């Protein structure tokens, strides 16, 4: 019952399966204890009826009081244990699940996130886990416990009087067959509703991220209308799914309740024929209330569990994604970066084809070429942010595919074109480059990256919060913080992808000067579109159509009349004279 299939169906950890077993056990005990209370009531009624009809003495009060108190105490203890097993344990497990999910996401290659809709991923982490939390705590133990306890009670009832037992319980399997028959439809509606919800999240995120462009182009009405349509469709799918599920749940409940009528009819017939007395019928009617009570809720729980399986499958898709693994030891002989016949594709789009070059330690190696030639991809592959499809990349003679990405990245500092900042102060955003860095170290790196100029104008200086992703700063200011972060880390390998693209000429010159002084002796890989940015590089690798078109020093490539680098430099020089 609680095997691997069950575990995957509800996205449970090993501990979660144990919790489900524990919750099921205590639910069975609670249901049987409550049923025992019905037995006590039956015995009491039998004694009082004997007094009224046969003149027997009244049952002694003390044993009854003791029995009732013992029942109440036992009921309290078992209900308390059931609560701890079905709620207390599960809520602790949900915390572990969220941490486990975050840890797994942390170890996934960046290529995974490039293929996934981030709004969809956020919905899985937040919405789907919340939905499964309710299933784990309210449904699994309660429902499976009801199955087992009802089976035990059914055996006892059939042993006592099979005719009345059949009259009581025939509706239960029929109701569940009806509900299980609607499972596929419920899952389909859930998938449609989930997709509609993701579209709403996408629409809201897109509108907020592009609000300036929307206003600048007077597109507010169009975007709001599209968003309203997505919300209306989401609401429609939710109503349709809940209505269809509700119809089956209520139909199953009505069918199950018909067992009361059949019990009364069959019981009356048996009384008239002298086969049973009234108290037996009374006992069976009491039993029905306890059999139907958990299943009334169970029917709704089953419908919720059908829907939750969609959430569980989405969660398991994340867990099934292959993480980037490797050794936690990284002891390279130097820090030369060597690409050997590297091939890489985004899905079906081939980006690199047999790329081979070496970025030597102590030198600046520049990757240049047309847009889409694979320059930024090479930088990301060099840091194992993605894994290559073919060939090898080595650092100091060590294949980076054999090294854990987090261990590998301790030797890298990176400044990419797309700067990522956090809603914190300037000081703390720079300090991310080196855990535990002193304020003096942070300020030195900030000064080297020419951050002082704009930070002095901020209300609280380096203690000024900069907003989500640095929303309160300009593009050039954000990029200088990113450069300061990389300088603070002071790693032996530095990757710069258009690191000075958003700086004006004056600041670009200052930052380049700082980089030249502070990056001495390191392995530096620079990606740039502007040829003047890399004119002082030790080596230039020109990429075209995912291949190495040529490589050499700037002087060597410029002296070759057929060189692509020379042609690109000439075109940029000519374009510099263009004016309105």
């Amino acid at each position: 019952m609680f095997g691997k299939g069950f575990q995957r169906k509800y996205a449970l950890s090993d501990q979660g399966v144990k919790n489900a077993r524990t919750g099921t056990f205590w639910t069975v005990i609670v249901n049987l204890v409550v049923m025992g209370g019905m037995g006590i009531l039956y015995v009491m009624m039998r004694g009082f009826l004997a007094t009224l009809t046969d003149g027997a003495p009244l049952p002694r009060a003390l044993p009854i009081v003791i029995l009732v108190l013992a029942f109440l105490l036992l009921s309290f203890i078992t209900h308390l244990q059931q609560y701890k097993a079905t709620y207390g344990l599960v809520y602790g497990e949900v915390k572990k699940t969220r941490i486990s999910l975050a840890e797994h996401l942390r170890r996934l290659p960046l290529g995974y996130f490039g293929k996934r809709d981030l709004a969809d991923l956020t919905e899985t982490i937040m919405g789907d886990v919340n939905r499964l939390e309710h299933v784990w705590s309210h449904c699994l133990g309660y429902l499976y416990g009801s199955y087992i306890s009802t089976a035990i009670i059914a055996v006892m009832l059939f042993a006592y009087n099979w005719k009345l037992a059949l009259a009581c319980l025939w509706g239960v399997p029929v109701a569940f067959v009806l509900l299980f028959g609607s499972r596929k439809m419920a899952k389909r509606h859930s998938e449609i509703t989930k997709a509609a919800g993701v579209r709403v999240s996408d629409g809201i995120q897109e509108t907020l991220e592009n609000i300036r462009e929307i206003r600048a182009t007077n597109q507010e009405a169009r975007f709001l209308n599209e968003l309203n349509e997505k919300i209306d469709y989401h609401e429609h799918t939710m109503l349709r799914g809940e209505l269809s599920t509700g119809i089956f749940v209520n139909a199953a409940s009505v069918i199950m309740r018909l067992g009361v009528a059949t019990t009364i009819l069959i019981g009356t017939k048996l009384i008239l024929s002298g086969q049973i007395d009234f108290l037996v019928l009374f006992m069976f009617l009491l039993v029905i209330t306890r059999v139907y009570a958990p299943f009334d809720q169970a029917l709704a729980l089953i419908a919720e569990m059908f829907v939750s399986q969609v959430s569980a499958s989405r969660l398991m898709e994340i867990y099934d994604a292959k993480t980037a693994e490797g050794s936690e030891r990284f002891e390279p002989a130097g820090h030369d970066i060597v690409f050997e016949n590297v091939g890489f594709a985004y899905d079906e789009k081939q980006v690199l084809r047999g790329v081979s070059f070496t970025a030597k330690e102590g030198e600046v190696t520049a990757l240049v070429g047309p847009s889409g030639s694979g320059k930024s991809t090479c930088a990301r592959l060099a840091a194992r942010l993605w894994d290559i499809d073919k060939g090898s990349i080595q650092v100091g003679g060590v294949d980076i595919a054999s090294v854990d990405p987090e261990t590998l990245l301790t030797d890298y500092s990176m400044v990419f074109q797309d700067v990522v900042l956090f809603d914190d102060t300037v000081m703390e955003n720079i300090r991310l480059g080196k855990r535990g860095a002193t304020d003096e170290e942070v300020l030195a790196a900030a000064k080297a990256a020419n951050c002082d100029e704009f930070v002095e104008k901020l209300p609280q200086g380096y203690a000024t919060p900069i907003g989500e992703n640095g929303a309160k700063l300009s593009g050039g200011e954000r990029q200088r913080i990113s450069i300061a972060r990389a300088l603070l880390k002071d790693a032996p390998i530095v990757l710069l992808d258009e690191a000075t693209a958003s700086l004006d000429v004056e600041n670009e010159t200052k930052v380049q000067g700082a980089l030249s002084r502070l990056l001495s002796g390191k392995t530096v890989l620079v990606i740039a579109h502007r040829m003047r940015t890399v004119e002082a590089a030790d080596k230039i690798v020109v990429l075209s159509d995912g291949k190495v078109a040529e490589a050499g020093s700037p002087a060597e490539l410029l002296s070759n009349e057929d060189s692509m680098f020379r042609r690109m430099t000439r075109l940029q020089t000519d374009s510099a004279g263009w004016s309105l």
Side-chain angles (χ1 to χ4, degrees):
M1 182 184 293
F2 298 103
K4 289 296 183 181
F6 174 86
Q7 186 173 3
R8 285 190 61 87
K9 183 184 291 185
Y10 300 109
L12 290 165
S13 65
D14 291 339
Q15 184 60 46
V17 174
K18 294 179 182 178
N19 293 343
R21 289 196 186 107
T22 304
T24 299
F25 171 79
W26 282 109
T27 298
V28 171
I29 298 300
V30 164
N31 289 342
L32 293 179
V33 167
V34 172
M35 194 60 68
M38 300 297 101
I40 294 173
L41 182 59
Y42 172 75
V43 171
M44 292 172 57
M45 291 293 295
R46 174 69 70 182
F48 288 127
L49 187 61
T51 299
L52 293 174
T53 58
D54 302 333
L58 282 171
R60 295 176 60 188
L62 183 59
I64 293 177
V65 170
I66 293 174
L67 190 61
V68 170
L69 290 177
F71 166 75
L72 292 176
L73 179 61
L74 183 60
S75 180
F76 172 77
I77 293 173
T78 53
H79 275 87
L80 180 61
Q81 292 300 320
Q82 182 196 31
Y83 179 86
K84 290 180 179 179
T86 55
Y87 298 102
L89 290 177
V90 168
Y91 290 148
E93 180 66 13
V94 169
K95 173 186 175 182
K96 295 178 183 177
T97 297
R98 292 187 187 278
I99 294 174
S100 171
L101 185 60
E103 283 294 307
H104 189 81
L105 287 169
R106 182 174 63 84
R107 301 185 68 83
L108 289 175
L110 285 185
Y112 175 83
F113 299 97
K115 298 174 184 177
R116 286 291 299 264
D117 186 316
L118 293 184
D120 184 35
L121 195 59
T122 302
E123 172 62 21
T124 299
I125 296 170
M126 302 303 294
D128 289 332
V129 172
N130 280 340
R131 188 169 293 106
L132 287 169
E133 174 186 342
H134 189 267
V135 169
W136 297 340
S137 60
H138 290 71
C139 301
L140 290 182
Y142 194 90
L143 182 61
Y144 283 89
S146 297
Y147 285 161
I148 296 171
S149 60
T150 301
I152 295 172
I153 294 167
V155 170
M156 292 189 294
L157 292 180
F158 273 94
Y160 192 86
N161 189 303
W162 71 269
K163 294 180 181 178
L164 277 179
L166 186 61
C168 286
L169 301 173
W170 71 268
V172 174
V174 174
F176 277 89
V177 167
L178 176 64
L179 202 57
F180 272 91
S182 68
R183 178 171 51 185
K184 289 185 179 179
M185 185 183 67
K187 291 180 68 174
R188 184 173 67 253
H189 280 301
S190 178
E191 291 169 353
I192 294 172
T193 302
K194 181 67 66 177
V198 170
R199 287 185 61 205
V200 171
S201 299
D202 274 336
I204 294 173
Q205 180 177 332
E206 181 183 36
T207 302
L208 292 176
E209 288 179 350
N210 299 290
I211 190 66
R212 287 181 296 182
E213 289 76 9
I214 292 171
R215 288 186 175 181
T217 54
N218 295 322
Q219 297 294 316
E220 295 99 323
R222 183 174 71 86
F223 270 81
L224 287 176
N225 287 337
E226 290 179 357
L227 189 56
N228 285 333
E229 289 176 1
K230 292 175 182 178
I231 293 173
D232 289 342
Y233 178 70
H234 184 218
E235 181 182 9
H236 172 72
T237 57
M238 287 182 65
L239 290 174
R240 187 173 59 185
E242 291 180 2
L243 178 62
S244 60
T245 302
I247 290 173
F248 281 96
V249 169
N250 284 285
S253 181
V254 169
I255 290 173
M256 192 171 63
R257 289 288 179 183
L258 291 177
V260 176
T262 56
T263 301
I264 294 174
L265 291 174
I266 298 298
T268 302
K269 181 179 179 181
L270 293 176
I271 290 173
L272 293 176
S273 64
Q275 297 181 47
I276 63 171
D277 58 23
F278 171 76
L279 274 182
V280 174
L281 175 59
F282 176 73
M283 181 193 72
F284 270 84
L285 291 175
L286 284 179
V287 169
I288 288 177
T289 63
R290 291 313 310 157
V291 170
Y292 290 173
F295 276 116
D296 275 342
Q297 183 176 352
L299 290 173
L301 296 182
I302 288 178
E304 183 176 357
M305 289 171 67
F306 291 162
V307 174
S308 74
Q309 290 174 21
V310 176
S311 296
S313 64
R314 287 159 54 86
L315 201 62
M316 293 308 299
E317 284 180 9
I318 297 177
Y319 281 122
D320 289 340
K322 185 179 179 181
T323 56
E325 305 291 343
S327 171
E328 294 185 0
R329 294 186 60 187
F330 180 48
E331 299 174 350
H335 288 88
D336 288 356
I337 301 176
V338 180
F339 277 62
E340 291 185 356
N341 197 32
V342 171
F344 179 74
Y346 294 109
D347 294 328
E348 301 299 323
K349 182 182 179 182
Q350 194 69 31
V351 180
L352 298 181
R353 302 173 179 84
V355 171
S356 299
F357 68 86
T358 299
K360 292 185 178 180
E361 185 173 8
E363 293 185 358
V364 176
T365 301
L367 299 179
V368 300
S371 296
S373 59
K375 303 184 299 297
S376 296
T377 299
C378 284
R380 285 161 171 77
L381 293 176
R384 206 191 170 191
L385 300 183
W386 285 286
D387 281 329
I388 60 177
D389 302 325
K390 182 182 178 182
S392 69
I393 300 176
Q394 299 179 15
V395 172
V398 178
D399 191 335
I400 64 173
S402 66
V403 182
D404 181 85
E406 290 190 4
T407 302
L408 180 70
L409 288 175
T410 58
D411 280 16
Y412 286 73
S413 289
M414 294 177 283
V415 181
F416 288 147
Q417 189 172 1
D418 299 324
V419 179
V420 176
L421 301 177
F422 294 88
D423 189 6
D424 206 335
T425 64
V426 176
M427 179 77 77
E428 295 308 315
N429 267 282
I430 297 175
R431 204 191 306 272
L432 284 174
K434 180 182 177 182
R435 181 183 299 177
T438 65
D439 289 351
E440 290 74 18
E441 290 175 318
V442 173
L443 293 174
K447 184 176 181 180
N450 202 30
C451 293
D452 284 348
E453 177 187 348
F454 72 87
V455 173
E456 290 174 355
K457 300 175 184 178
L458 297 176
Q460 302 171 52
Y462 282 94
T464 304
I466 60 176
E468 185 177 354
N469 203 23
K472 298 179 181 179
L473 303 178
S474 69
E477 291 167 348
R478 294 170 65 246
Q479 205 155 37
R480 273 181 274 180
I481 289 178
S482 182
I483 293 171
R485 185 189 291 169
L487 295 176
L488 177 64
K489 188 174 183 181
D490 194 28
I493 299 174
V494 180
L495 306 180
L496 304 173
D497 186 354
E498 293 290 349
T500 60
S502 298
L503 302 179
D504 55 60
V505 175
E506 181 180 354
N507 283 316
E508 180 183 7
T509 302
K510 293 178 181 179
V511 171
Q512 284 179 336
L515 289 173
S516 298
R517 293 190 301 272
L518 296 174
L519 299 181
S520 176
K522 303 184 188 305
T523 304
V524 183
L525 197 61
V526 178
I527 295 91
H529 286 101
R530 290 184 288 189
M531 298 302 104
R532 67 179 296 272
T533 305
V534 297
E535 59 188 9
D538 297 288
K539 180 180 180 180
I540 290 177
V541 177
V542 182
L543 294 173
S544 178
D545 194 27
K547 300 178 181 179
V548 176
E550 57 192 28
S553 68
E556 291 172 347
L557 296 181
L558 288 173
S559 65
N560 183 354
E561 295 184 358
D562 297 326
S563 167
M564 181 180 292
F565 178 72
R566 175 173 176 168
R567 181 173 62 85
M568 294 172 65
T569 303
R570 186 175 65 250
L571 288 173
Q572 288 196 357
T573 302
D574 294 342
S575 65
W578 180 84
S579 61
L580 289 173

